[in-house]
């Protein structure tokens, strides 16, 4: 399986960058793993995380998004 590793992709994601540059990156990705997905409920972080997920699912429906949580 070809694997593309994108560390901290959300920090570097800019929906306003040119589509061509963005497509080069995201068309090579099959899966995005979001650690600590429960932060989507956080008042400050949640809106950014939710917006990121919605943009990815709309623009790149082939990408699978997996959310991880830590249960103690």
């Amino acid at each position: 399986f070809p694997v593309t590793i994108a560390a901290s992709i959300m920090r570097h994601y800019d929906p306003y960058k040119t589509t061509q540059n963005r497509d080069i990156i995201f068309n090579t990705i099959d899966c995005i793993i979001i650690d600590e997905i429960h932060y989507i409920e956080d008042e400050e972080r949640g809106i950014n995380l939710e917006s990121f997920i919605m943009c990815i699912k709309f623009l790149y429906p082939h990408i699978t998004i997996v959310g991880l949580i830590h249960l103690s």
Side-chain angles (χ1 to χ4, degrees):
F1 297 97
V3 176
T4 300
I5 298 174
S8 302
I9 198 165
M10 190 176 131
R11 290 185 186 151
H12 303 291
Y13 177 73
D14 182 355
Y16 302 106
K17 283 189 176 180
T18 63
T19 303
Q20 183 181 10
N21 291 340
R22 187 181 62 215
D23 287 347
I24 290 170
I25 295 168
F26 285 96
N27 283 331
T28 63
I29 296 173
D30 294 320
C31 179
I32 294 175
I33 299 172
I34 300 174
D35 191 19
E36 301 192 41
I37 191 73
H38 60 275
Y39 279 120
I40 201 162
E41 295 178 353
D42 184 86
E43 199 170 300
E44 292 178 22
R45 295 170 140 180
I47 190 72
N48 293 330
L49 183 54
E50 185 176 357
S51 297
F52 172 74
I53 292 169
M54 288 180 4
C55 285
I56 294 301
K57 292 311 293 175
F58 178 75
L59 296 172
Y60 308 97
H62 71 278
I63 296 178
T64 300
I65 296 179
V66 176
L68 303 176
I69 60 170
H70 173 66
L71 299 174
S72 53

